[in-house]
Amino acid sequence: MKQLTVSLPEGRSYDITISRGILARCGEEIRRIYQGNEVAVITDSNVGPLYAKTVLDSLKGAGFSVKSVSFPAGEQSKNMDTLVQLYDGLLTPYPFPMTRGGLIVALGGGVTGDMAGFAAATLFRGVPFVQIPTTLLSQVDSSVGGKTGVDLPQGKNLVGAFHQPEAVLTDPETLATLPERFFRDGMGEVIKYGCISDKPLLEALEAGTALEDLEQLLARCVASKKSFVEEDTRDTGRRMILNFGHTFGHALEKLHNFQDLSHGEAVGIGMVLACQVGEKLGVTPAGTAERVREVLKRYGLPTQDSFSWEDFSFSH
Protein backbone atom coordinates (compact mmCIF):
# COMPACT_ATOMS: atom_id res chain seq x y z
CA MET A 1 0.00 0.00 0.00
CA LYS A 2 1.09 3.55 -0.75
CA GLN A 3 -0.48 6.66 0.72
CA LEU A 4 0.09 10.29 -0.17
CA THR A 5 -1.54 13.35 1.39
CA VAL A 6 -2.60 16.44 -0.52
CA SER A 7 -2.27 19.45 1.79
CA LEU A 8 -4.29 22.43 0.58
CA PRO A 9 -3.57 26.10 1.40
CA GLU A 10 -6.90 26.52 3.18
CA GLY A 11 -5.81 23.99 5.78
CA ARG A 12 -7.72 21.05 4.35
CA SER A 13 -6.03 17.82 3.36
CA TYR A 14 -7.02 14.47 1.90
CA ASP A 15 -5.33 11.15 1.39
CA ILE A 16 -4.70 9.25 -1.83
CA THR A 17 -4.48 5.57 -0.98
CA ILE A 18 -3.10 3.12 -3.55
CA SER A 19 -3.77 -0.43 -2.42
CA ARG A 20 -4.70 -3.69 -4.09
CA GLY A 21 -8.14 -4.85 -2.97
CA ILE A 22 -9.19 -1.49 -1.57
CA LEU A 23 -12.36 -1.62 -3.66
CA ALA A 24 -13.71 -4.32 -1.36
CA ARG A 25 -12.65 -2.28 1.69
CA CYS A 26 -13.88 1.10 0.50
CA GLY A 27 -16.76 1.14 2.98
CA GLU A 28 -14.49 1.04 6.03
CA GLU A 29 -12.12 3.56 4.41
CA ILE A 30 -14.97 5.98 3.76
CA ARG A 31 -16.41 5.44 7.23
CA ARG A 32 -13.20 6.92 8.65
CA ILE A 33 -13.74 10.23 6.93
CA TYR A 34 -17.53 10.49 6.61
CA GLN A 35 -19.91 10.16 9.54
CA GLY A 36 -23.18 10.54 7.61
CA ASN A 37 -25.45 7.74 6.47
CA GLU A 38 -26.34 8.19 2.80
CA VAL A 39 -23.93 7.45 -0.06
CA ALA A 40 -24.74 7.70 -3.77
CA VAL A 41 -22.39 5.93 -6.20
CA ILE A 42 -22.12 7.44 -9.68
CA THR A 43 -20.68 5.13 -12.32
CA ASP A 44 -20.96 4.40 -16.03
CA SER A 45 -22.31 1.56 -18.14
CA ASN A 46 -18.86 -0.04 -18.53
CA VAL A 47 -17.61 0.11 -14.94
CA GLY A 48 -20.93 -0.47 -13.19
CA PRO A 49 -21.36 -4.13 -14.21
CA LEU A 50 -17.75 -4.86 -13.19
CA TYR A 51 -17.35 -3.11 -9.85
CA ALA A 52 -20.53 -1.43 -8.59
CA LYS A 53 -21.69 -4.47 -6.58
CA THR A 54 -18.34 -4.77 -4.82
CA VAL A 55 -18.41 -1.11 -3.85
CA LEU A 56 -22.08 -1.09 -2.84
CA ASP A 57 -21.69 -4.26 -0.75
CA SER A 58 -18.68 -2.77 1.03
CA LEU A 59 -20.56 0.45 1.74
CA LYS A 60 -23.56 -1.48 3.06
CA GLY A 61 -21.24 -3.55 5.22
CA ALA A 62 -19.95 -0.34 6.77
CA GLY A 63 -23.49 0.66 7.70
CA PHE A 64 -24.30 3.11 4.90
CA SER A 65 -27.58 3.46 3.04
CA VAL A 66 -26.65 3.35 -0.64
CA LYS A 67 -27.97 4.08 -4.09
CA SER A 68 -26.38 3.86 -7.54
CA VAL A 69 -26.75 6.18 -10.52
CA SER A 70 -25.32 5.20 -13.92
CA PHE A 71 -24.89 6.91 -17.28
CA PRO A 72 -23.72 5.71 -20.74
CA ALA A 73 -19.94 5.36 -20.88
CA GLY A 74 -17.84 7.63 -23.07
CA GLU A 75 -16.75 11.22 -23.57
CA GLN A 76 -19.93 11.81 -25.61
CA SER A 77 -21.89 11.58 -22.34
CA LYS A 78 -19.86 14.31 -20.65
CA ASN A 79 -22.41 17.04 -21.21
CA MET A 80 -25.13 19.08 -19.53
CA ASP A 81 -27.91 16.70 -20.56
CA THR A 82 -26.23 13.80 -18.76
CA LEU A 83 -25.55 16.03 -15.76
CA VAL A 84 -29.26 16.81 -15.45
CA GLN A 85 -29.97 13.07 -15.59
CA LEU A 86 -27.48 12.54 -12.75
CA TYR A 87 -29.20 15.21 -10.66
CA ASP A 88 -32.52 13.47 -11.32
CA GLY A 89 -31.12 10.10 -10.25
CA LEU A 90 -29.57 11.57 -7.11
CA LEU A 91 -32.83 13.27 -6.11
CA THR A 92 -35.14 10.37 -6.96
CA PRO A 93 -36.94 9.32 -3.74
CA TYR A 94 -36.09 5.61 -4.11
CA PRO A 95 -34.32 4.35 -2.07
CA PHE A 96 -33.71 7.87 -0.72
CA PRO A 97 -33.30 11.37 -2.17
CA MET A 98 -29.86 12.88 -1.88
CA THR A 99 -29.63 15.57 0.81
CA ARG A 100 -26.99 18.09 1.87
CA GLY A 101 -25.71 15.55 4.36
CA GLY A 102 -25.06 12.89 1.72
CA LEU A 103 -21.84 11.78 0.04
CA ILE A 104 -21.18 11.05 -3.64
CA VAL A 105 -18.72 8.36 -4.75
CA ALA A 106 -17.27 8.62 -8.26
CA LEU A 107 -16.58 5.07 -9.46
CA GLY A 108 -14.92 4.98 -12.86
CA GLY A 109 -12.52 6.76 -15.16
CA GLY A 110 -11.88 10.39 -15.95
CA VAL A 111 -15.30 11.12 -17.42
CA THR A 112 -17.05 9.67 -14.38
CA GLY A 113 -14.79 11.54 -11.98
CA ASP A 114 -15.36 14.83 -13.80
CA MET A 115 -19.13 14.33 -14.03
CA ALA A 116 -19.66 13.04 -10.49
CA GLY A 117 -17.33 15.68 -9.10
CA PHE A 118 -19.20 18.47 -10.86
CA ALA A 119 -22.53 17.06 -9.68
CA ALA A 120 -21.10 17.06 -6.14
CA ALA A 121 -19.79 20.61 -6.53
CA THR A 122 -23.12 21.99 -7.67
CA LEU A 123 -25.89 19.94 -6.01
CA PHE A 124 -27.07 21.90 -2.94
CA ARG A 125 -24.13 24.24 -3.71
CA GLY A 126 -21.70 21.50 -2.81
CA VAL A 127 -21.67 18.08 -1.17
CA PRO A 128 -18.60 15.96 -0.35
CA PHE A 129 -17.39 13.26 -2.71
CA VAL A 130 -14.81 10.48 -2.89
CA GLN A 131 -12.92 9.42 -6.00
CA ILE A 132 -12.53 5.69 -6.76
CA PRO A 133 -10.67 5.77 -10.10
CA THR A 134 -10.66 2.59 -12.19
CA THR A 135 -8.60 3.57 -15.27
CA LEU A 136 -4.90 4.29 -15.59
CA LEU A 137 -5.58 7.84 -16.72
CA SER A 138 -7.80 8.61 -13.74
CA GLN A 139 -5.49 6.85 -11.27
CA VAL A 140 -2.39 8.80 -12.31
CA ASP A 141 -4.02 12.14 -13.04
CA SER A 142 -7.66 13.19 -13.15
CA SER A 143 -8.82 11.84 -9.76
CA VAL A 144 -6.41 14.18 -7.95
CA GLY A 145 -6.64 17.97 -7.83
CA GLY A 146 -10.32 18.83 -7.77
CA LYS A 147 -10.93 19.74 -11.40
CA THR A 148 -14.50 18.79 -12.35
CA GLY A 149 -16.67 19.67 -15.31
CA VAL A 150 -18.46 18.87 -18.53
CA ASP A 151 -17.99 19.57 -22.22
CA LEU A 152 -19.98 22.01 -24.35
CA PRO A 153 -20.46 21.94 -28.14
CA GLN A 154 -17.92 24.79 -28.24
CA GLY A 155 -15.19 22.77 -26.53
CA LYS A 156 -13.97 20.48 -23.78
CA ASN A 157 -14.32 21.20 -20.05
CA LEU A 158 -15.77 24.66 -20.61
CA VAL A 159 -18.15 24.39 -17.65
CA GLY A 160 -16.78 23.18 -14.34
CA ALA A 161 -15.70 23.88 -10.81
CA PHE A 162 -12.80 23.25 -8.48
CA HIS A 163 -14.10 20.77 -5.90
CA GLN A 164 -11.52 18.71 -4.04
CA PRO A 165 -12.45 15.14 -3.03
CA GLU A 166 -12.51 13.93 0.56
CA ALA A 167 -10.30 11.00 -0.43
CA VAL A 168 -8.99 9.08 -3.43
CA LEU A 169 -9.08 5.28 -3.19
CA THR A 170 -7.09 3.63 -5.96
CA ASP A 171 -7.16 -0.11 -6.58
CA PRO A 172 -4.55 -1.14 -9.18
CA GLU A 173 -6.39 -4.45 -9.65
CA THR A 174 -9.10 -2.64 -11.64
CA LEU A 175 -6.56 -2.12 -14.41
CA ALA A 176 -6.75 -5.86 -15.16
CA THR A 177 -10.15 -5.32 -16.82
CA LEU A 178 -9.10 -2.21 -18.70
CA PRO A 179 -9.06 -2.69 -22.51
CA GLU A 180 -5.56 -2.36 -23.95
CA ARG A 181 -6.39 0.83 -25.84
CA PHE A 182 -7.46 2.57 -22.64
CA PHE A 183 -4.37 1.41 -20.79
CA ARG A 184 -2.36 3.04 -23.58
CA ASP A 185 -4.60 6.08 -23.21
CA GLY A 186 -3.47 6.43 -19.60
CA MET A 187 0.15 6.09 -20.66
CA GLY A 188 -0.23 9.41 -22.47
CA GLU A 189 -0.59 11.12 -19.08
CA VAL A 190 2.18 9.00 -17.54
CA ILE A 191 4.54 10.13 -20.29
CA LYS A 192 3.46 13.71 -19.66
CA TYR A 193 4.66 13.45 -16.06
CA GLY A 194 7.98 12.09 -17.23
CA CYS A 195 8.32 15.06 -19.56
CA ILE A 196 7.34 17.85 -17.17
CA SER A 197 8.65 16.83 -13.75
CA ASP A 198 10.27 13.40 -13.44
CA LYS A 199 13.30 12.82 -15.66
CA PRO A 200 14.09 9.37 -14.13
CA LEU A 201 10.52 8.32 -14.98
CA LEU A 202 10.99 9.48 -18.57
CA GLU A 203 14.22 7.52 -18.79
CA ALA A 204 12.50 4.41 -17.38
CA LEU A 205 9.73 4.83 -19.94
CA GLU A 206 12.31 5.08 -22.70
CA ALA A 207 14.09 1.98 -21.38
CA GLY A 208 10.84 0.03 -21.10
CA THR A 209 11.16 -0.62 -17.35
CA ALA A 210 8.54 1.81 -16.00
CA LEU A 211 5.73 -0.76 -15.85
CA GLU A 212 7.67 -3.29 -13.78
CA ASP A 213 6.20 -1.89 -10.52
CA LEU A 214 2.73 -0.58 -11.28
CA GLU A 215 1.96 0.71 -7.79
CA GLN A 216 5.21 2.65 -7.76
CA LEU A 217 4.39 4.10 -11.19
CA LEU A 218 1.00 5.29 -9.94
CA ALA A 219 2.54 6.78 -6.80
CA ARG A 220 5.22 8.65 -8.77
CA CYS A 221 2.69 10.29 -11.06
CA VAL A 222 0.39 11.16 -8.16
CA ALA A 223 3.32 12.61 -6.21
CA SER A 224 4.06 14.91 -9.15
CA LYS A 225 0.40 15.90 -9.50
CA LYS A 226 -0.01 16.65 -5.79
CA SER A 227 3.05 18.90 -5.71
CA PHE A 228 1.57 21.09 -8.45
CA VAL A 229 -1.89 21.09 -6.85
CA GLU A 230 -0.57 22.04 -3.41
CA GLU A 231 1.30 25.00 -4.85
CA ASP A 232 -1.45 26.19 -7.19
CA THR A 233 -4.92 24.86 -6.43
CA ARG A 234 -6.74 27.11 -8.92
CA ASP A 235 -4.56 26.43 -11.98
CA THR A 236 -3.37 30.02 -12.42
CA GLY A 237 0.39 29.54 -12.04
CA ARG A 238 2.79 26.59 -11.83
CA ARG A 239 0.00 24.01 -12.06
CA MET A 240 -0.61 25.11 -15.65
CA ILE A 241 2.38 22.99 -16.70
CA LEU A 242 0.09 19.99 -16.12
CA ASN A 243 -1.67 21.14 -19.29
CA PHE A 244 1.37 20.23 -21.41
CA GLY A 245 -0.06 18.78 -24.62
CA HIS A 246 -3.61 19.62 -23.64
CA THR A 247 -4.10 22.82 -25.65
CA PHE A 248 -3.63 20.99 -28.93
CA GLY A 249 -5.04 17.79 -27.42
CA HIS A 250 -8.39 19.30 -26.44
CA ALA A 251 -8.67 20.91 -29.87
CA LEU A 252 -8.06 17.52 -31.49
CA GLU A 253 -10.70 15.87 -29.32
CA LYS A 254 -13.23 18.49 -30.42
CA LEU A 255 -12.22 18.16 -34.07
CA HIS A 256 -12.90 14.43 -33.73
CA ASN A 257 -16.28 15.16 -32.07
CA PHE A 258 -15.03 13.42 -28.89
CA GLN A 259 -15.32 10.04 -30.60
CA ASP A 260 -12.36 8.71 -32.55
CA LEU A 261 -9.47 9.97 -30.46
CA SER A 262 -9.16 9.28 -26.73
CA HIS A 263 -7.91 11.92 -24.30
CA GLY A 264 -4.49 10.34 -23.74
CA GLU A 265 -3.99 9.82 -27.47
CA ALA A 266 -4.88 13.45 -28.15
CA VAL A 267 -2.58 14.70 -25.39
CA GLY A 268 0.29 12.64 -26.79
CA ILE A 269 -0.09 14.22 -30.21
CA GLY A 270 -0.50 17.58 -28.49
CA MET A 271 2.82 17.16 -26.68
CA VAL A 272 4.61 16.52 -29.96
CA LEU A 273 2.97 19.56 -31.56
CA ALA A 274 3.79 21.76 -28.57
CA CYS A 275 7.43 20.69 -28.74
CA GLN A 276 7.55 21.38 -32.46
CA VAL A 277 6.23 24.90 -31.86
CA GLY A 278 8.76 25.38 -29.06
CA GLU A 279 11.60 24.27 -31.26
CA LYS A 280 10.52 26.65 -34.02
CA LEU A 281 10.38 29.49 -31.52
CA GLY A 282 13.79 28.59 -30.16
CA VAL A 283 12.56 27.99 -26.59
CA THR A 284 12.71 24.18 -26.73
CA PRO A 285 15.93 22.24 -27.37
CA ALA A 286 16.17 20.75 -30.85
CA GLY A 287 15.22 17.08 -30.91
CA THR A 288 12.73 17.27 -28.04
CA ALA A 289 9.71 16.62 -30.24
CA GLU A 290 11.42 13.55 -31.70
CA ARG A 291 12.28 12.25 -28.22
CA VAL A 292 8.65 12.60 -27.11
CA ARG A 293 7.47 11.02 -30.35
CA GLU A 294 9.66 7.96 -29.84
CA VAL A 295 8.49 7.28 -26.28
CA LEU A 296 4.85 7.65 -27.37
CA LYS A 297 5.43 5.16 -30.17
CA ARG A 298 7.00 2.72 -27.70
CA TYR A 299 3.68 2.55 -25.83
CA GLY A 300 1.49 2.33 -28.91
CA LEU A 301 0.27 5.91 -28.92
CA PRO A 302 -0.25 7.98 -32.08
CA THR A 303 2.11 10.89 -32.71
CA GLN A 304 0.34 12.76 -35.50
CA ASP A 305 -3.13 13.46 -36.84
CA SER A 306 -4.71 14.29 -40.19
CA PHE A 307 -5.84 17.78 -39.19
CA SER A 308 -3.75 20.73 -40.35
CA TRP A 309 -2.42 23.70 -38.39
CA GLU A 310 -5.20 25.81 -39.93
CA ASP A 311 -7.85 23.50 -38.46
CA PHE A 312 -6.72 24.32 -34.92
CA SER A 313 -7.57 28.00 -35.28
CA PHE A 314 -11.25 27.10 -35.68
CA SER A 315 -11.41 24.38 -33.05
CA HIS A 316 -11.93 26.49 -29.91
Side-chain angles (χ1 to χ4, degrees):
M1 183 182 85
K2 298 183 183 299
Q3 191 169 75
L4 302 92
T5 300
V6 178
S7 299
L8 302 172
E10 59 266 29
R12 242 198 87 206
S13 66
Y14 60 91
D15 291 333
I16 305 153
T17 305
I18 303 168
S19 178
R20 294 185 181 275
I22 201 171
L23 222 64
R25 307 190 308 274
C26 68
E28 59 190 83
E29 296 289 336
I30 291 173
R31 178 56 78 189
R32 291 178 187 150
I33 59 170
Y34 170 62
Q35 302 309 310
N37 295 314
E38 297 171 349
V39 179
V41 176
I42 294 179
T43 190
D44 69 24
S45 56
N46 286 342
V47 175
L50 294 171
Y51 298 119
K53 185 177 186 303
T54 298
V55 169
L56 292 168
D57 286 349
S58 181
L59 290 166
K60 290 175 187 175
F64 293 112
S65 297
V66 299
K67 70 187 302 182
S68 179
V69 182
S70 182
F71 65 93
E75 186 77 30
Q76 305 94 306
S77 291
K78 192 179 163 185
N79 55 53
M80 296 298 290
D81 290 339
T82 305
L83 184 66
V84 171
Q85 293 169 16
L86 293 181
Y87 292 143
D88 183 61
L90 292 167
L91 296 172
T92 296
Y94 181 82
F96 56 82
M98 190 77 177
T99 66
R100 289 184 181 180
L103 175 86
I104 288 175
V105 169
L107 173 65
V111 170
T112 299
D114 282 2
M115 293 282 292
F118 190 47
T122 50
L123 188 65
F124 305 123
R125 298 185 179 88
V127 298
F129 85 113
V130 168
Q131 289 269 20
I132 303 183
T134 60
T135 65
L136 181 60
L137 189 148
S138 60
Q139 290 181 359
V140 300
D141 186 74
S142 63
S143 64
V144 178
K147 277 189 175 181
T148 71
V150 297
D151 304 334
L152 294 180
Q154 293 88 343
K156 187 178 171 78
N157 294 333
L158 294 184
V159 176
F162 286 97
H163 191 53
Q164 300 286 349
E166 302 298 305
V168 180
L169 306 177
T170 295
D171 191 338
E173 291 181 0
T174 60
L175 300 181
T177 57
L178 196 63
E180 183 181 348
R181 182 189 176 191
F182 292 104
F183 189 89
R184 295 198 304 266
D185 176 53
M187 288 303 296
E189 292 284 0
V190 172
I191 292 166
K192 177 195 79 175
Y193 282 108
C195 291
I196 67 173
S197 64
D198 192 337
K199 185 178 179 181
L201 173 59
L202 178 61
E203 292 170 346
L205 287 163
E206 291 174 319
T209 60
L211 295 175
E212 291 176 356
D213 186 340
L214 193 54
E215 286 188 39
Q216 179 64 21
L217 177 70
L218 299 178
R220 288 183 74 156
C221 293
V222 168
S224 291
K225 179 72 176 277
K226 95 177 191 74
S227 70
F228 288 109
V229 170
E230 288 172 335
E231 183 176 329
D232 177 19
T233 59
R234 308 292 291 187
D235 200 21
T236 58
R238 184 170 177 262
R239 180 175 175 172
M240 293 175 72
I241 197 173
L242 290 169
N243 297 321
F244 175 48
H246 287 61
T247 302
F248 286 115
H250 285 177
L252 282 169
E253 287 183 86
K254 182 178 180 294
L255 287 167
H256 282 272
N257 296 314
F258 304 110
Q259 292 183 5
D260 306 320
L261 201 65
S262 72
H263 178 70
E265 291 169 341
V267 166
I269 297 169
M271 289 191 290
V272 173
L273 292 172
C275 290
Q276 289 176 337
V277 170
E279 289 183 34
K280 288 179 181 179
L281 293 174
V283 296
T284 301
T288 302
E290 183 59 29
R291 185 178 183 185
V292 173
R293 182 184 289 110
E294 287 303 310
V295 72
L296 289 166
K297 286 166 60 178
R298 184 179 188 106
Y299 293 92
L301 287 161
T303 61
Q304 59 185 13
D305 194 79
S306 58
F307 287 100
S308 67
W309 289 102
E310 289 75 18
D311 293 317
F312 287 108
S313 63
F314 299 102
S315 64
H316 57 81

